[in-house]
Amino acid sequence: MKIGYARVSTQEQNLDLQLDALKEAGCEKFITDKVSGSVSQRPGLEKLKETLRKGDTLIVWRLDRMGRSLKHLIEIVNELANIGVTFKSLKESIDTSNSTGQLVFHIFASLAQFEKELVQERTRAGLEAARSRGRLGGRPKKLNKDQLQHAVKLYMDKKYSLQEICTISGITKPTLYKYVRDYR
């Protein structure tokens, strides 16, 4: 069965263009969402995953209607392939039911992986360069050494509640616990 998925980002936007294209492509069933693509929990997408069966074809008008990002799109298409569902994007002319479409999709996947690895390499190189100049990564400390010692002393004296110590010091409980742990 050919199942179409259409999505718009806001309630004010209209699905008609996508639905017309999906009808023309032969879709027998349609599932829609009116929610931003950046939202991970989309009711229509969840329903779509429950509906699709082996031998079905999922059709979208454009790739960006399906996934939050290229990585997310690749995850979805791989999930589909694992259950025997093919994927088709009308605007990009990608159809994973044939070898050419699979090749194009795998090229996208390879490019996404390459981009991810480049970002990781650049991040590591930047951190190493900063360390060689004596700079440490991470957030700046909320408290200076004297303030930190004072907060830990208040904690150890057990005269104040955790919330009172945090309010006095201007830090959160997890930060206080970290300072106490590091101080010991």
Side-chain angles (χ1 to χ4, degrees):
M1 174 186 286
K2 291 182 178 179
I3 300 173
Y5 175 75
R7 181 188 61 79
V8 290
S9 299
T10 66
Q11 293 294 325
E12 294 79 33
Q13 292 176 325
N14 192 314
L15 290 163
D16 291 345
L17 173 69
Q18 294 177 56
L19 292 174
D20 289 346
L22 294 171
K23 283 177 194 169
E24 192 174 311
C27 291
E28 303 160 47
K29 187 172 190 173
F30 305 93
I31 296 176
T32 63
D33 267 322
K34 285 194 173 192
V35 63
S36 170
S38 64
V39 175
S40 60
Q41 296 298 320
R42 293 183 256 161
L45 185 57
E46 295 305 314
K47 182 179 177 186
L48 181 67
K49 290 178 180 180
E50 293 169 9
T51 303
L52 291 166
R53 300 287 178 256
K54 184 177 182 173
D56 288 345
T57 299
L58 169 60
I59 303 176
V60 295
W61 178 61
R62 281 181 37 172
L63 289 174
D64 67 348
R65 301 295 86 201
M66 188 74 218
R68 298 187 310 270
S69 63
L70 185 56
K71 179 184 178 216
H72 182 236
L73 181 65
I74 290 166
E75 288 171 5
I76 291 171
V77 173
N78 285 337
E79 283 177 38
L80 297 175
N82 288 339
I83 61 171
V85 174
T86 57
F87 175 78
K88 186 174 186 177
S89 173
L90 301 175
K91 283 293 181 186
E92 290 84 4
S93 299
I94 295 175
D95 182 350
T96 64
S97 68
N98 63 56
S99 57
T100 303
Q102 288 175 3
L103 173 64
V104 170
F105 193 78
H106 286 287
I107 289 171
F108 276 158
S110 297
L111 290 172
Q113 182 63 32
F114 176 69
E115 178 184 12
K116 176 184 171 189
E117 290 172 7
L118 279 178
V119 168
Q120 289 172 343
E121 285 177 14
R122 284 189 219 122
T123 301
R124 279 192 297 272
L127 288 171
E128 287 175 21
R131 280 189 211 106
S132 72
R133 291 181 178 85
R135 294 191 349 223
L136 298 175
R139 288 184 181 175
K141 298 283 186 210
K142 184 79 173 172
L143 306 178
N144 65 33
K145 188 176 179 180
D146 292 336
Q147 293 169 323
L148 186 146
Q149 287 176 342
H150 180 68
V152 171
K153 183 179 180 331
L154 291 174
Y155 177 84
M156 298 296 193
D157 290 346
K158 300 187 186 306
K159 291 181 182 176
Y160 296 94
S161 71
L162 288 174
Q163 189 57 51
E164 289 172 326
I165 297 168
C166 292
T167 302
I168 292 167
S169 303
I171 56 177
T172 63
K173 287 180 187 177
T175 301
L176 176 61
Y177 287 134
K178 180 187 180 322
Y179 285 159
V180 169
R181 190 175 53 247
D182 291 348
Y183 192 76
R184 290 180 178 169

